[in-house]
Structure formats: C-alpha cells, structure tokens
Amino acid sequence: MNNPSSNINTNNLDRTNDDLHWLLLICGHVITEEYDSDEQKTIPEAVMNFSSEQVKYCDLKKCVQIAQHILQHPQLDLTDEIIQGVSPVTQCMVAVLKLSEIERELCSKGRFEYISVQVAVSLTWFIRRLAANYLGFDEQSYKDVSQTLSVLLGKGSEMLEFLTNYFLSKVVTNLQMWASESDVIKETADLFVTLSIKKESSLIIIKNELFWTLANNVISNHMPIQLINEEYKRLLIKGITCSCLNNSSDEYRLHFDRSIFQILNQRLQSIVESIHTLVEQIKLNNTSKLHCTTALQTFYSENVLSQISTLINSYCGLIEGGSRCSSIQITYLFEHSQQTLQYILDLFDFYHNYSDQVQIILELFTLYAEHVLVYLNENHTKLFYTYVLRLLQIFTKCNYGKKTKEINADEDFNGHIYTLLNCLNHLLAKDFIDFSDEPSTNTEINVGNVVLYGLIICLPLIRSDNLLKIPSISLCYYKLVSSLCEQHSECLFRLLDTEQFSIFLSTIKLGLDNYDNEICKMCLETIQSLTLHIIKQPKQYENNEKSKYLEHFLDYLLQEIVTTTTTLSDLFDTLAGTIYTLICAYPNQFYNFLGQMKQQDDNLTSIIDRFVHDIGQKHDYNRKIKISFTVKFETFVTDLRRIMKK
C-alpha cells in the first residue's frame, strides 16, 4: 500500500471490504445493544459477565497498553503473541481501532482506491455504539463489573480521556474526508452527538482544541462543511450546544455565547436589517427605488435562500442540543432568543412563498414549544405565546386564497399544516407539565385561546383540501382537538361562532365515520368533554344553537350502536361513557329515541322498559353511576340485537 504503482486486485479488495463490513456489523450487534435516544445505554449483561470471567486469564496492564500502542503504530500486526493476555472484548475493540487508523492513514496518503465507503459507514457506526454503551460507563448499574472494562473504559479510567479524544478526532477526520458521502456523515454526526450527550465524554471533548475548531468551522460553514446535508449540520450544532451547556463551568458557556450564539444572532440581524432598510427605501419611492428593488431581489437568490436555511437549521440544532441540558440552560437559551425569534418571524413574513424556509421556521417554533415552553416562567410563557400568535397571523395572511403552480406545492403545504398542528399539540402540554421555577397562577394566560386561534386558522385549510384523508395529519388533528376539548372546552363555546362550531363538529363526525379505533376514541372523548361543559352550565346553554348541534350526536351514536355493527362496538366502554354523558345533558332526546324504537317494534317494549327502570329517571352526571350505566347498557344492547335478529 505504500507503493503508489502497486497493482490492485479489485476482486480481492472488494471481498475483503465486504468481509470487514459484515464483521463490523456482527461484532457491533454482539458487544453492544441498540437503544432509543432517551434510554440509558448499558453494556449487555452477557458481555459484562463474560469479560468478568476472563479477567483471571488477562494482563490488565497489557490490555491498556495495546490500545494506546495500536493507535500510535497502526502497522503493528495483531499476532497471537501480541494479543496474548488481552481479553477477547479488548481484542475486538483494538482490532476496530487498528482498522480506523489504517483508514485514516490511507486517506492522508490519498490512497482512496483501497478504501470502501461501506466500511467507513459500518466502522463509524461501530464506534458510535461503542461510545454509547461503554465510554465512561457507570459501574453502579451492574452487579458484577469486569475489571478489564473498568480499567479501560470506566469513569475516571486512564484510557477514557485517550479514547474519547481519539473518537473526536475520528469525527473531524470523517468530516474532512467524507463530506460528500451522506451515509458516512450521518453516522459521524450521530457519533459526535453521542460524545456530546454523555457527560463523561462531553467534559473531555470540550477541553480539546479540535472541538472548538470544529465548532468554528460548522458555524462559519467553511469547506468541507458546506458540502454536508443541512440535517447533519443541525446534528453537529446540537452536539456543540449540548457539550457547551452541559458543562457547569461559566467559561465554556461564555465561549459558547461569543463563538456560536452571538455569531448566529449577528448574521441573522444583518440579513433582517438589510431587508428592512431596502423595503423602507422602496416605500419612499425616491430615485433609489429601482436600485433597492434590484438589491432586494438578491435575497431571493439560491445562495441567500441556502444561507437562510442553514441559519434557521442552526437555531433548530441549538434548541435540540439545549433540550438535553438543565432547566437553567434551557431558560438561558430562551432569554437570549427573544430578539432572535422576532427576527425569524420577520423572515417568515418575507419568505412566506418559499416552502423550505417556511417549513424550517415552523419546525423551529415546534421545537421551542416541545422542549423549551415547559421550563418557562409566567412572563416568558406569555411572551412565547405572543410570538406564536404572530406566527399564526402571518401564516393566515399568506395562505388564505393562495394559488400556486409549483409541482410539489400540495405536498409542501401538507407538511406545513402537519408541523403547525404538531406545534399546537406541544403548546397544550404546558397545562400538564410545568418545570418552571414559578408555575403560572395567572388565569389570564390561557393557552387554550392561542391553540384555538391556531385551530380556527387550520380548519378551513384542512377542510378545503381534504387534508384529513392524510393519516399523519388526521391523527395529529384529532389528538389536538381531543386534548383541547378536555382542557379548554369553554374556549370552543366562547370563541367559535355558530358556523365554525358546526364545521368543527362535522370533522368529529367524519372521524367517527371513516377512521380507525384510535381516532374514533379521540372523537368520542371530544364529544364527552364538550357535553360535560354543557352539563356544568345548564342554564347558559339552554336553547343554545351550539348545544343543539352537539345534541345530534346522541341520536347518531344510539343509532350506530343499537341498529348496526360498527367499529365503534370495539370501543364500547368509551362509547357507553359518551352516550351516558349525552343522556345527562339531553334526557328528553334519549327518551324520545326509545319511544320511537317501541313504536317500530312492540317486541322491544319489555327490554326498553326494563332498561329505563334499571338506569332510573334521574340523570345527574356522576362517575360511579357512569360505570354502572356501562354494564347495564351493554346488557340492553345485547338483548336488543338478539331480538332484532329474529
């Protein structure tokens, strides 16, 4: 390999690389386990026990030395003599480190013909899983701890810092050499995030100059970072943020503030202020109008649009990284984002016809709603609601009556609606989860008003394009209305006019008629929540038009459960609970329905009379009685169906 003119047997090389790829996958799945991102990652019990048993045959000092030695001398052959006394798990790790060093050396010499992209992907994948499961592992999580693994990779071990810094250098090397290979970069970005999230490795890499060089290159978007997909740049920003804010030292947070946060904010401010200046100059209608109009058009160029996307994605990465930190750090991010969010809303208005930019900005606000809102105090919460309201107002202004001939316009718009509904869902979580130091006691700050305003905006757009036929949007929509009605049913009666309320209920009936059990259950719960609100305010809703619209569901549900076999039968408890709640609100309608059944079939009279006697004449809503009603109603329906089949 040192001889540039050497002939390469391509077939042998391909077979070798294919073998390496599969060996890496096999070893990776044997000595590590896959976990969800939020799960604690541990060494498999079988591997830990095996390693513990092998200690008596191992030379601990040699296990440590060979790992360091192989990185300094990758040409060293792992002969039987060399690896004698080294534990099998360590041998596997050392072999992977050797392969990594060989790959780096070949790249540095330009011998790319020897290197396989597939092997580069699987190698980085293996190192990522190794870092996630083993690096700085907590010995208290295991009954029996392998002394070998403890010395090599445990907290405070002599090899921990050495290997962590090596893995960081692997990240930097991959970004330099594989920037145009998205699969390698994806695994590399995931490896960097893994190192950043784990506290032990995070404290090490942040002291390494390579970390700050990488951070500067990512923020500056220098080559070869420019070649990297936006999604993976966002992951790198997430890792940088997580490392900086997870550290208790103010020094690193200040460094983060100066080197990353301020640079992004200055870049954003410069773009927005330039746009504002040009727009104002055009409004003055002076001699420079033509020049300003031409200058403003440059902000719609592909180059600037790409810069905007990179910038907003960077802020998304900041929030995703901050979400893995303490509540103090998350609050710090919001406090330093207030002007930023206003600028981004200005961009949202300016670029409202550009789907990619609209989507990223909606995603950013969704991330704030999901990860930041639950930590905000009363004043910050109110402030964030104002930002969301402005976002909704801009979205309304720019989408009603909008027509376009773009090929992917429908698909893009569907993505916007889904993301917006998702954002509204996360807003409602504040009612259930509040981690702020000062939980809100101000009833004037009603998230229900904000969410309902968003729903009023989305509803006509959803209905006009039949977006509820799209599974992801329908599930998100019904989840939203179910939660909204459970927590803020009063808002719907107060803020929706009669026509809007009727349209809203038509989507609930659509859900009952056309969707699976999950959505049907949400629709039934929505009806229950609205009916309960009427029960609590009987005089206010007497002869009310909205109440009459809701009353129709009693006939509809009774007809469905009694005379037909529908999917609603699979949700009998929820259905019976909903019917009971409707009966409490509209008892006369219920008895009219039973009377009509008697007239249609005399054979049903005894069953209906017995059921009426069992449930009693008084229908004040009570949870215990609702449970009893469910049992009696099931018996009633069974008897009815038996007779009606004859």
Side-chain angles (χ1 to χ4, degrees):
M1 291 190 297
N2 291 323
N3 182 4
S5 62
S6 61
N7 294 321
I8 304 172
N9 187 321
T10 307
N11 291 334
N12 287 342
L13 188 60
D14 288 345
R15 280 197 295 271
T16 301
N17 281 327
D18 200 45
D19 289 345
L20 286 171
H21 164 69
W22 286 108
L23 283 169
L24 284 165
L25 292 182
I26 292 167
C27 291
H29 283 292
V30 169
I31 71 169
T32 67
E33 289 181 356
E34 192 67 74
Y35 292 89
D36 292 335
S37 57
D38 294 327
E39 281 187 277
Q40 183 183 1
K41 298 163 183 65
T42 57
I43 300 170
E45 185 179 357
V47 175
M48 182 65 83
N49 292 339
F50 173 74
S51 185
S52 297
E53 292 169 2
Q54 292 293 312
V55 169
K56 53 190 172 186
Y57 308 114
C58 298
D59 184 337
L60 291 178
K61 188 176 180 181
K62 191 172 183 180
C63 288
V64 174
Q65 289 175 340
I66 193 169
Q68 292 176 321
H69 196 60
I70 204 70
L71 293 176
Q72 294 162 356
H73 306 283
Q75 68 276 17
L76 180 70
D77 287 333
L78 296 176
T79 61
D80 291 342
E81 184 181 350
I82 293 291
I83 63 173
Q84 186 178 0
V86 178
S87 72
V89 177
T90 307
Q91 288 181 33
C92 180
M93 294 179 186
V94 167
V96 171
L97 294 176
K98 177 179 171 66
L99 178 61
S100 178
E101 270 303 283
I102 291 172
E103 181 193 78
R104 186 192 62 77
E105 189 175 341
L106 287 170
C107 286
S108 67
K109 291 181 178 180
R111 306 306 306 275
F112 297 103
E113 64 271 26
Y114 285 101
I115 305 170
S116 160
V117 175
Q118 189 182 45
V119 171
V121 173
S122 48
L123 176 60
T124 310
W125 169 86
F126 181 96
I127 292 174
R128 173 180 65 80
R129 288 175 65 123
L130 185 68
N133 286 257
Y134 287 78
L135 216 54
F137 71 89
D138 185 4
E139 297 182 11
Q140 294 181 350
S141 301
Y142 306 90
K143 291 181 180 178
D144 297 314
V145 178
S146 163
Q147 193 177 357
T148 308
L149 293 178
S150 179
V151 169
L152 270 174
L153 299 159
K155 285 183 181 179
S157 65
E158 50 188 293
M159 280 293 290
L160 178 61
E161 184 172 353
F162 179 81
L163 281 174
T164 301
N165 283 323
Y166 177 75
F167 291 162
L168 176 62
S169 72
K170 176 68 177 173
V171 170
V172 174
T173 302
N174 277 8
L175 293 174
Q176 291 171 344
M177 298 185 178
W178 299 104
S180 59
E181 295 290 345
S182 61
D183 290 341
V184 182
I185 297 303
K186 179 187 182 303
E187 289 297 340
T188 302
D190 286 339
L191 169 59
F192 182 64
V193 170
T194 299
L195 294 174
S196 302
I197 289 174
K198 290 179 73 74
K199 189 172 182 180
E200 293 72 27
S201 53
S202 176
L203 294 173
I204 293 169
I205 64 174
I206 202 169
K207 298 173 185 175
N208 192 323
E209 278 303 313
L210 273 179
F211 175 87
W212 295 105
T213 302
L214 171 62
N216 180 61
N217 289 338
V218 172
I219 295 299
S220 304
N221 204 27
H222 287 158
M223 290 293 286
I225 300 297
Q226 277 185 12
L227 301 174
I228 295 174
N229 184 295
E230 292 293 340
E231 179 187 350
Y232 307 142
K233 289 181 194 174
R234 181 161 149 180
L235 281 174
L236 293 173
I237 296 282
K238 174 182 176 179
I240 292 166
T241 304
C242 196
S243 286
C244 292
L245 298 187
N246 257 338
N247 199 294
S248 57
S249 170
D250 289 337
E251 174 192 351
Y252 295 115
R253 195 169 85 171
L254 289 171
H255 200 161
F256 168 80
D257 209 17
R258 289 193 304 268
S259 303
I260 296 162
F261 215 177
Q262 286 183 17
I263 291 176
L264 291 175
N265 288 340
Q266 288 166 8
R267 200 174 296 161
L268 177 64
Q269 182 180 357
S270 174
I271 292 171
V272 173
E273 288 183 351
S274 296
I275 292 172
H276 282 171
T277 302
L278 290 170
V279 170
E280 290 302 317
Q281 288 294 317
I282 292 170
K283 286 179 180 178
L284 292 175
N285 203 23
N286 54 26
T287 54
S288 64
K289 180 178 179 179
L290 182 60
H291 170 74
C292 291
T293 303
T294 304
L296 192 63
Q297 289 303 311
T298 62
F299 285 92
Y300 297 119
S301 67
E302 287 296 325
N303 182 40
V304 176
L305 289 172
S306 177
Q307 289 179 35
I308 297 296
S309 297
T310 299
L311 189 56
I312 307 298
N313 265 312
S314 297
Y315 282 112
C316 290
L318 286 178
I319 301 306
E320 288 171 333
S323 69
R324 307 304 296 254
C325 304
S326 67
S327 59
I328 295 173
Q329 306 294 13
I330 294 174
T331 304
Y332 152 80
L333 275 179
F334 182 78
E335 288 173 345
H336 288 71
S337 296
Q338 292 174 27
Q339 186 62 55
T340 300
L341 289 172
Q342 292 184 48
Y343 283 144
I344 288 174
L345 287 169
D346 290 340
L347 288 182
F348 189 63
D349 197 0
F350 185 74
Y351 288 109
H352 64 264
N353 280 326
Y354 290 81
S355 294
D356 290 346
Q357 284 64 38
V358 168
Q359 181 63 27
I360 299 169
I361 291 172
L362 289 173
E363 284 178 15
L364 177 62
F365 274 84
T366 302
L367 288 171
Y368 270 96
E370 181 180 5
H371 297 300
V372 177
L373 180 60
V374 293
Y375 295 99
L376 301 184
N377 62 29
E378 190 173 295
N379 291 331
H380 286 158
T381 298
K382 190 174 182 180
L383 190 60
F384 182 67
Y385 289 162
T386 63
Y387 295 146
V388 174
L389 282 171
R390 189 182 166 207
L391 179 83
L392 294 169
Q393 288 162 358
I394 296 170
F395 190 82
T396 308
K397 179 184 74 174
C398 300
N399 282 283
Y400 275 119
K402 180 179 176 181
K403 294 182 180 179
T404 180
K405 294 181 180 179
E406 292 181 19
I407 297 173
N408 297 321
D410 288 344
E411 187 178 337
D412 292 339
F413 181 70
N414 295 348
H416 302 338
I417 291 293
Y418 173 77
T419 308
L420 193 56
L421 290 173
N422 207 21
C423 180
L424 296 175
N425 265 311
H426 289 306
L427 287 180
L428 283 175
K430 181 72 172 177
D431 280 351
F432 292 110
I433 309 167
D434 191 349
F435 295 135
S436 64
D437 295 332
E438 311 163 21
S440 176
T441 56
N442 189 350
T443 54
E444 293 179 9
I445 303 177
N446 189 344
V447 66
N449 293 344
V450 180
V451 173
L452 185 58
Y453 180 67
L455 189 62
I456 291 170
I457 288 168
C458 292
L459 197 52
L461 298 171
I462 287 172
R463 289 185 75 246
S464 63
D465 291 336
N466 292 320
L467 296 188
L468 289 179
K469 291 182 178 179
I470 300 171
S472 58
I473 291 179
S474 62
L475 184 60
C476 200
Y477 171 79
Y478 287 110
K479 179 183 176 184
L480 175 65
V481 298
S482 175
S483 299
L484 179 63
C485 291
E486 181 184 2
Q487 301 166 56
H488 303 282
S489 54
E490 176 269 338
C491 292
L492 278 89
F493 286 97
R494 177 167 50 86
L495 298 177
L496 293 182
D497 61 33
T498 306
E499 183 181 357
Q500 289 171 333
F501 194 79
S502 173
I503 292 171
F504 170 73
L505 289 184
S506 71
T507 66
I508 302 304
K509 186 172 184 302
L510 182 72
L512 291 170
D513 287 339
N514 295 285
Y515 293 101
D516 60 12
N517 285 352
E518 184 178 11
I519 287 178
C520 284
K521 189 172 187 292
M522 294 178 193
C523 291
L524 291 170
E525 289 168 347
T526 299
I527 296 168
Q528 274 198 66
S529 299
L530 293 172
T531 309
L532 274 173
H533 178 73
I534 287 177
I535 291 171
K536 292 174 184 175
Q537 312 279 341
K539 292 183 180 179
Q540 183 178 343
Y541 294 102
E542 191 174 352
N543 298 320
N544 182 281
E545 198 68 27
K546 295 175 186 176
S547 177
K548 289 179 181 177
Y549 285 138
L550 197 59
E551 184 179 338
H552 293 314
F553 279 105
L554 180 57
D555 269 354
Y556 168 75
L557 293 176
L558 286 170
Q559 194 74 25
E560 284 290 304
I561 194 64
V562 170
T563 62
T564 62
T565 303
T566 68
T567 55
L568 295 178
S569 302
D570 298 330
L571 300 167
F572 193 88
D573 286 355
T574 308
L575 177 61
T578 303
I579 289 173
Y580 169 76
T581 309
L582 286 164
I583 290 171
C584 291
Y586 310 108
N588 293 337
Q589 184 74 9
F590 172 62
Y591 289 115
N592 287 339
F593 179 84
L594 295 181
Q596 290 171 11
M597 289 189 68
K598 286 184 186 180
Q599 291 175 7
Q600 292 171 5
D601 190 342
D602 290 338
N603 295 325
L604 301 178
T605 302
S606 61
I607 295 173
I608 292 173
D609 289 344
R610 185 167 64 249
F611 175 61
V612 170
H613 178 268
D614 287 344
I615 64 173
Q617 295 292 325
K618 192 176 180 182
H619 298 294
D620 294 331
Y621 183 83
N622 182 291
R623 287 183 180 275
K624 289 183 178 179
I625 296 176
K626 184 170 81 168
I627 296 170
S628 172
F629 173 86
T630 300
V631 176
K632 294 170 183 175
F633 188 64
E634 185 173 12
T635 303
F636 170 63
V637 170
T638 303
D639 291 342
L640 275 180
R641 286 181 176 172
R642 188 185 68 249
I643 291 177
M644 292 172 74
K645 282 181 181 178
K646 291 180 180 179

